[in-house]
Amino acid sequence: MTKDLTTGRPARLILLFTLPLIAGNIFQQLYGFVDTLIVGRILGVDALAAVGCTGALLFFIMGFGMGSTSGFSIYTGQRFGAGDMDGVRQSFAACMVMTLLTSLAMTAASVPLCRWVLTVMQTPPEIIDGAYDFISIIFACLFVPFSFMMLTNIIRALGDSRTPTIMLALSLASNIVLEPLFIMVFGWGIPGAAWSVVVAQGFGAILAFLYIWCKLPLLHVRKSDWHMSWRFLYEHMRIGLPMGFQSSIIAIGAVILQIALNNLGPVAVASYAASQRVDAIATMPMMSFGMTMAAYTAQNYGARKFRRIGDGVRQCIYMSVGFSIVAGLFNAIMGPELIWLFVGDANQQVIEYGHIYLIIQGASYWILSLLFIFRFTLQGLGQSIVPTFAGVMELFMRAIAALVLVAYFGYVGACFASPMAWLGSCVPLAIAYLYTRKSIYKRFRRELQ
């Protein structure tokens, strides 16, 4: 089912599109949550730290996949908003080609370097083998999650955020069943956690493909659609690759920070890993509002309805910032109970450290909310330079936190890394959005004349 986002009240359209997206993104994050919860409870704190310390590397690679496939689909949304159904099919074909090439390239580059990178990151000796076992399996199978991301992003670009949510829920349900089976019954340990993620996301990709085949005839690619020009492929790469690199650039900062955390020992690593899982779920609604603006902006840009873009951004800010305040308060109040889910009563220091992280993060959620809205709106307009620069700013600020704040303030200094990165990224994005809004209003007036 497709949805036209170029007509109707912006606030209502944005909210109705975002609600399923929130659920879908939370389901996506629950993969990591379930992994961490089951591994921590069944295999212990060292196993939790082993899986947790791979988070920055996973962010580096999977973030590229999410960013690039989302960027490829923006051009699809623009063609859909313009009513160009031939362009929609051709764009889908281009997305499949680009996803195949990028996933194979990332696998070829990442698998041979896994252990070396973990060593460079100064991963503690007692957890490095478990970390390698987990992350090498995920990297060897990148085509599976990349394909799942691409297919669900294409469906969202056509205005349907509900169906990908259902697919993510079913995929997560299969992971919840498979992970204890692989770890406890089959006795595969940490590798079992990795294989359960791969199989579950493969199941989701199959569901997405079957849905497109049965329900979305406008995406049935014809033989002629594969004959695409380099110019056409470039239009997808121009948006998609910078979005992928932007996510990876941000992740480099997380890798630098992880090195600093590794030097603080397994307790700090486990605390950060557990609290990040809670934090990731809490921030998903804010990211979802941002992702909605990418689809909303792309369709309205394709339809040349520039004034609706500004109205949508303003109304989305009211909703997203309001939620960010509530989410921050909830994490500050319920933090100890949430961290306890991962470790039980085994290590009280992990719970205390995790609560500190959630308080500091929650107080800064409103900045992250604005960051997502401005970033995704600019990307929906087809812009890539400023969002990429903003990603460099995130890298720079996280690196400062890792090299300076952690050295002086230890774990607490690490907790300030993300708020600093959000602020450093949000400022140039806000300036760029205000400038762009002024420019498109001028274009709007010219087109009316």
Side-chain angles (χ1 to χ4, degrees), residues 205-227:
I206 292 172
L207 289 177
F209 178 81
L210 291 175
Y211 177 80
I212 289 172
W213 182 261
C214 297
K215 299 292 186 180
L216 293 177
L218 80 163
L219 290 178
H220 290 180
V221 178
R222 304 169 185 173
K223 184 178 180 180
S224 59
D225 295 327
W226 295 103
H227 299 291

Side-chain angles (χ1 to χ4, degrees), residues 100-110:
L100 173 64
L101 294 177
T102 54
S103 63
L104 293 178
M106 295 301 280
T107 291
S110 61

Side-chain angles (χ1 to χ4, degrees), residues 279 356-365 414-419 422:
D279 178 61
I356 292 171
Y357 176 93
L358 292 178
I359 291 173
I360 294 172
Q361 301 294 109
S364 309
Y365 280 167
C415 294
F416 277 97
S418 288
W422 299 340

Side-chain angles (χ1 to χ4, degrees), residues 265-276:
V267 171
V269 173
S271 301
Y272 203 84
S275 53
Q276 271 194 317

Side-chain angles (χ1 to χ4, degrees), residues 3-22:
K3 176 66 176 177
D4 184 0
L5 302 177
T6 64
T7 59
R9 294 170 53 195
R12 183 176 183 275
L13 287 171
I14 290 169
L15 182 61
L16 292 179
F17 189 93
T18 302
L19 290 176
L21 201 56
I22 290 173

Side-chain angles (χ1 to χ4, degrees), residues 126-256:
E126 59 267 38
I127 64 175
I128 191 169
D129 288 336
Y132 174 78
D133 290 342
F134 181 80
I135 201 168
S136 62
I137 292 171
I138 300 290
F139 285 173
C141 304
L142 285 177
F143 175 71
V144 175
F146 275 41
S147 297
F148 190 23
M149 294 173 194
M150 183 272 293
L151 293 170
T152 52
N153 280 326
I154 287 290
I155 296 171
R156 291 190 192 101
L158 302 183
D160 181 2
S161 60
R162 180 173 174 269
T163 301
T165 300
I166 296 172
M167 294 170 183
L168 283 165
L170 293 173
S171 179
L172 175 66
S174 68
N175 185 49
I176 292 173
V177 173
L178 291 172
E179 188 155 359
L181 180 68
F182 289 174
I183 292 176
M184 299 176 64
V185 179
F186 294 174
W188 292 354
I190 290 177
W195 280 117
S196 69
V197 172
V198 172
V199 174
Q201 295 206 341
F203 174 62
I206 292 172
L207 289 177
F209 178 81
L210 291 175
Y211 177 80
I212 289 172
W213 182 261
C214 297
K215 299 292 186 180
L216 293 177
L218 80 163
L219 290 178
H220 290 180
V221 178
R222 304 169 185 173
K223 184 178 180 180
S224 59
D225 295 327
W226 295 103
H227 299 291
M228 57 195 78
S229 66
W230 281 108
R231 176 67 183 175
F232 191 74
L233 287 174
Y234 170 76
E235 286 301 315
H236 292 76
M237 291 187 289
R238 182 180 64 84
I239 304 173
L241 294 183
M243 286 179 64
F245 288 129
Q246 171 196 319
S247 297
S248 294
I249 288 169
I250 295 170
I252 293 173
V255 171
I256 296 172

